[in-house]
């Protein structure tokens, strides 16, 4: 009996084993996970990845241009003290290479030679160029020609390239990609930026090329003029409906808004230079941007019943203060505490669902105003472009939140009171560019260095490393892993510190 049971057991085991072996592929094949992804979705991931990393831009870019600052030390150390903090200065680098460049490189490589998806290739080239421009503007020399090719080409230790070489290729890439966009070819309707609208993508490309050209205005004016004049009549991003913006919702929230509505809600404040500039010119945008919680003595006391949006009530935090300095600055200003200084309103312009603007009609009109003033373009009128830029930004604020709407009468009154004066045009235009780039930290930082406007006083903090921060430092991860190539870049560019200038910063 025992022998019979043993034989039957063996037969059953053999049968089960054969059965498992026969269905091995079925059992071990995941029926849920995708085995391929449409490259259009990869491009969308790259676009979403362009959203500015929260604490990287808050602790550095927007603080360097003296718009928003924190008196706190520790993890928030950065432009508040003009001190290095590689924990957060690396966030833009890591976010863009991992989430933007890796995806655009793969899209371009996968679609190489695929004429049916030609428009998608050009769109990927433009998004990649935008990402690389932000990276090189913030850091200087970066891995460009080999950068982001770890996945596509197994280049894990990429060489660094000089910014001048990077700019030459970016200009070529943007010019070629924009020209190659073709409305008669397949339209990529899955595109989350413009829904595949080729005219809007062309406007994006031309506006990006204009930005690239104007960046060279001081380092190589003749080349800047050649680039800008070559674009001709565009099209450009001249209306808010064409703005390049990452749209956010409650599921995918604005990174800056997320931070300012959570852990850092009571830690960041509008600066005195920014508030005073708006207040002294009777700019209606101050009421649209700012909130002051009158009488607040702590973060929990920053409640709506204390909220004032009155421009005359706004008080900016002076630069160069730690916590104790901020306490004294508040007392000197007659405030209950430093929690009473004005903030970027986290329920309106810095809300969770606020768009992340990349290139706007306001910025493009203002760059065209400068180009026309310099005589680099012959179309249009410098003052018309100037006023169109101001108007576009004022309207843009209301599109972000209805509570920030500025009336047409207030817009017209401000424009009438601010004609463009040829003797001060560069300052006027670039001061407005500073305001129009509010919360677009990398672009505000870049144009401030490029133009020299607004004229800001050096951060007075006693422990500052430099009077002004000129670039962000390389990540520790690069220094430890890609050390040889980093050291070559440093030898060519200059010390890896906050003082070294990027190539076009003259």
């Amino acid at each position: 009996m025992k022998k019979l049971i043993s034989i039957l057991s063996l037969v059953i085991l053999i049968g089960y084993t054969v059965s498992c072996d026969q269905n091995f592929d079925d059992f071990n094949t995941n029926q849920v996970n995708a085995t391929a992804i449409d490259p259009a979705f990869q491009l969308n991931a790259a676009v979403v990845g362009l959203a500015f990393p929260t604490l990287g831009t808050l602790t550095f870019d927007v603080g360097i241009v003296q718009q928003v600052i924190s008196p706190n030390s520790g993890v928030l150390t950065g432009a508040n003290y003009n001190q290095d903090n590689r924990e957060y200065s690396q966030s833009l680098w890591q976010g863009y290479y991992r989430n933007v460049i890796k995806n655009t490189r793969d899209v371009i490589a996968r679609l190489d030679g695929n004429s049916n998806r030609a428009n998608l290739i050009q769109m990927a080239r433009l998004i990649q160029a935008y990402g690389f421009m932000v990276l090189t503007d913030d850091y200087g020399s970066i891995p460009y020609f080999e950068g982001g090719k770890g996945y596509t080409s197994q280049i894990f230790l990429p060489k660094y390239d000089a910014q001048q070489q990077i700019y030459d290729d970016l200009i070529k890439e943007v010019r070629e990609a924009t020209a190659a966009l073709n409305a008669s070819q397949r339209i990529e309707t899955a595109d989350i930026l413009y829904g595949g609208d080729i005219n809007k993508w062309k406007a994006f490309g031309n506006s990006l090329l204009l930005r690239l050209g104007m960046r060279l205005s001081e380092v190589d004016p003749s080349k800047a003029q050649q680039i800008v004049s070559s674009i001709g009549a565009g099209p450009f991003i001249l209306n808010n409906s064409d703005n390049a913006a990452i749209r956010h919702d409650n599921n995918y929230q604005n990174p800056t808004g997320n931070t300012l509505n959570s852990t850092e809600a009571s830690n960041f404040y509008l600066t005195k230079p920014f508030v005073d500039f708006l207040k002294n010119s009777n700019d209606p945008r101050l009421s649209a941007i700012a909130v002051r919680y009158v009488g607040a003595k702590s973060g929990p006391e920053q409640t709506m019943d204390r909220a004032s949006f009155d421009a005359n009530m706004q008080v900016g935090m002076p630069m160069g203060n730690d916590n104790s300095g901020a306490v004294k600055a508040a007392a000197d200003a007659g405030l209950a505490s430093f929690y009473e200084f004005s903030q970027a309103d986290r329920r309106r312009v810095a809300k969770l669902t606020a768009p992340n603007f990349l290139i706007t009609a306001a910025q493009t009109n203002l760059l065209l105003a400068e180009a026309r003033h310099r005589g680099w373009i012959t179309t249009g009128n410098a003052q018309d472009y100037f006023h169109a830029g101001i108007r576009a930004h004022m309207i843009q604020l209301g599109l972000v939140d209805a509570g920030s709407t500025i009336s047409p009468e207030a817009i017209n009154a401000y424009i009438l009171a601010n004609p463009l004066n040829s003797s001060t045009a560069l300052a006027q235009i670039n001061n407005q560019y500073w305001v129009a780039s509010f919360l677009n930290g990398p672009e505000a930082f870049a144009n401030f260095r490029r133009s020299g406007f607004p004229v800001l006083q050096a951060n007075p903090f006693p422990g500052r490393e430099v009077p002004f921060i000129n670039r962000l430092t390389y990540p520790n991860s690069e220094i430890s892993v890609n050390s040889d190539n980093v050291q070559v870049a440093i030898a060519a560019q200059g010390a890896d510190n906050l003082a070294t200038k990027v190539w076009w910063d003259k």
Side-chain angles (χ1 to χ4, degrees):
M1 186 65 182
K2 290 183 179 179
K3 184 176 181 180
L4 178 60
I5 293 173
S6 297
I7 293 172
L8 287 173
S9 299
L10 181 60
V11 171
I12 292 170
L13 179 61
I14 292 171
Y16 178 75
T17 302
V18 172
S19 175
C20 287
D21 186 59
Q22 288 176 340
N23 296 288
F24 182 83
D25 289 341
D26 291 336
F27 286 139
N28 289 277
T29 300
N30 191 315
Q31 303 296 323
V32 177
N33 285 354
T35 57
I37 185 171
D38 190 315
F41 300 142
Q42 278 185 277
L43 181 61
N44 287 343
V47 171
V48 170
L50 290 173
F52 308 124
T54 305
L55 289 177
T57 52
L58 277 177
T59 55
F60 281 99
D61 300 83
V62 296
I64 295 168
V65 297
Q66 300 184 12
Q67 291 180 333
V68 179
I69 208 75
S70 172
N72 292 359
S73 57
V75 296
L76 297 185
T77 294
N80 49 357
Y81 306 146
N82 275 25
Q83 294 177 354
D84 199 2
N85 178 359
R86 296 185 191 231
E87 179 178 358
Y88 285 132
S89 65
Q90 70 183 359
S91 61
L92 180 70
W93 178 290
Q94 293 177 343
Y96 269 39
Y97 274 112
R98 293 171 182 173
N99 302 321
V100 181
I101 307 303
K102 180 180 73 173
N103 278 304
T104 56
R105 289 287 197 201
D106 193 42
V107 169
I108 294 167
R110 288 178 62 195
L111 295 179
D112 184 31
N114 186 344
S115 60
N116 188 47
R117 308 297 294 276
N119 280 329
L120 189 61
I121 295 174
Q122 312 315 324
M123 290 152 60
R125 292 173 75 185
L126 291 175
I127 293 300
Q128 183 167 276
Y130 181 94
F132 270 128
M133 184 181 183
V134 172
L135 284 167
T136 189
D137 285 349
D138 261 21
Y139 298 95
S141 297
I142 59 170
Y144 176 73
F145 291 102
E146 295 182 352
K149 291 188 174 181
Y151 179 71
T152 58
S153 305
Q154 288 72 57
I155 300 176
F156 303 117
L157 301 175
K159 296 177 182 178
Y160 282 57
D161 301 289
Q163 189 176 56
Q164 184 173 1
Q165 294 176 300
I166 294 170
Y167 257 75
D168 285 344
D169 197 68
L170 287 175
I171 291 162
K172 177 191 75 67
E173 280 290 292
V174 172
R175 182 177 280 152
E176 289 180 358
T178 304
L181 288 163
N182 190 337
S184 66
Q185 296 177 337
R186 171 172 169 166
I187 301 301
E188 300 289 345
T189 56
D191 153 42
I192 62 171
L193 193 59
Y194 288 125
D197 188 316
I198 295 302
N199 287 332
K200 290 189 176 184
W201 271 103
K202 281 184 173 289
F204 176 86
N206 286 326
S207 300
L208 182 58
L209 186 59
L210 173 66
R211 183 179 285 188
L212 283 160
M214 293 302 292
R215 202 76 95 225
L216 308 186
S217 63
E218 304 306 315
V219 69
D220 193 342
S222 60
K223 186 169 184 176
Q225 180 178 4
Q226 181 273 321
I227 294 165
V228 172
S229 62
S230 72
I231 307 173
F236 295 101
I237 296 175
L238 298 178
N239 300 294
N240 284 318
S241 59
D242 296 335
N243 285 345
I246 304 167
R247 292 161 181 82
H248 298 285
D249 57 26
N250 288 323
N251 294 315
Y252 179 72
Q253 299 173 345
N254 183 300
T256 298
N258 193 353
T259 296
L260 293 181
N261 280 279
S262 55
T263 57
E264 308 302 332
S266 58
N267 290 332
F268 283 92
Y269 296 85
L270 294 175
T271 70
K272 179 175 173 57
F274 189 62
V275 170
D276 286 356
F277 177 84
L278 297 174
K279 184 183 288 187
N280 292 340
S281 60
N282 295 316
D283 194 320
R285 283 172 288 190
L286 182 56
S287 294
I289 289 171
V291 61
R292 177 180 157 212
Y293 297 100
V294 180
K297 299 182 182 65
S298 66
E301 290 189 9
Q302 292 179 336
T303 54
M304 283 304 297
D305 60 304
R306 297 178 181 273
S308 173
F309 310 110
D310 185 345
N312 294 321
M313 293 289 289
Q314 305 308 315
V315 181
M317 179 179 284
M319 292 293 299
N321 287 295
D322 56 15
N323 279 121
S324 61
V327 169
K328 182 179 184 303
D332 291 344
L335 306 183
S337 74
F338 71 72
Y339 293 99
E340 200 179 341
F341 281 116
S342 298
Q343 294 182 299
D345 189 357
R346 56 184 179 268
R347 296 176 178 87
R348 293 184 295 162
V349 293
K351 64 184 180 180
L352 294 170
T353 58
N356 198 141
F357 292 102
L358 305 175
I359 302 178
T360 66
Q363 293 168 329
T364 304
N365 274 294
L366 290 168
L367 288 180
L368 288 170
E370 181 175 342
R372 185 68 182 91
H373 170 74
R374 290 177 178 271
W376 293 353
I377 59 174
T378 57
T379 57
N381 175 279
Q383 178 165 274
D384 290 344
Y385 285 129
F386 175 64
H387 286 158
I390 295 171
R391 184 183 300 277
H393 186 243
M394 290 186 176
I395 294 173
Q396 176 188 311
L397 291 171
L399 297 176
V400 172
D401 190 275
S404 292
T405 300
I406 301 172
S407 71
E409 294 77 16
I411 295 174
N412 291 336
Y414 182 83
I415 286 174
L416 186 63
N418 290 274
L420 188 64
N421 186 321
S422 60
S423 64
T424 58
L426 289 180
Q428 288 180 274
I429 292 167
N430 286 288
N431 286 343
Q432 290 296 330
Y433 200 93
W434 177 53
V435 179
S437 300
F438 180 65
L439 296 182
N440 182 335
E443 182 57 22
F445 178 33
N447 197 68
F448 166 63
R449 288 172 291 160
R450 190 273 303 186
S451 70
F453 298 106
V455 176
L456 301 172
Q457 299 300 309
N459 189 329
F461 186 72
R464 69 187 186 188
E465 295 178 17
V466 290
F468 282 101
I469 295 175
N470 293 319
R471 64 178 283 275
L472 302 188
T473 53
Y474 294 130
N476 287 329
S477 57
E478 275 292 293
I479 295 171
S480 62
V481 175
N482 198 16
S483 179
D484 290 345
N485 288 318
V486 172
Q487 294 309 317
V488 171
I490 292 171
Q493 176 173 261
D496 182 27
N497 58 32
L498 303 175
T500 296
K501 292 186 174 184
V502 300
W503 163 71
W504 49 253
D505 183 4
K506 300 300 179 184

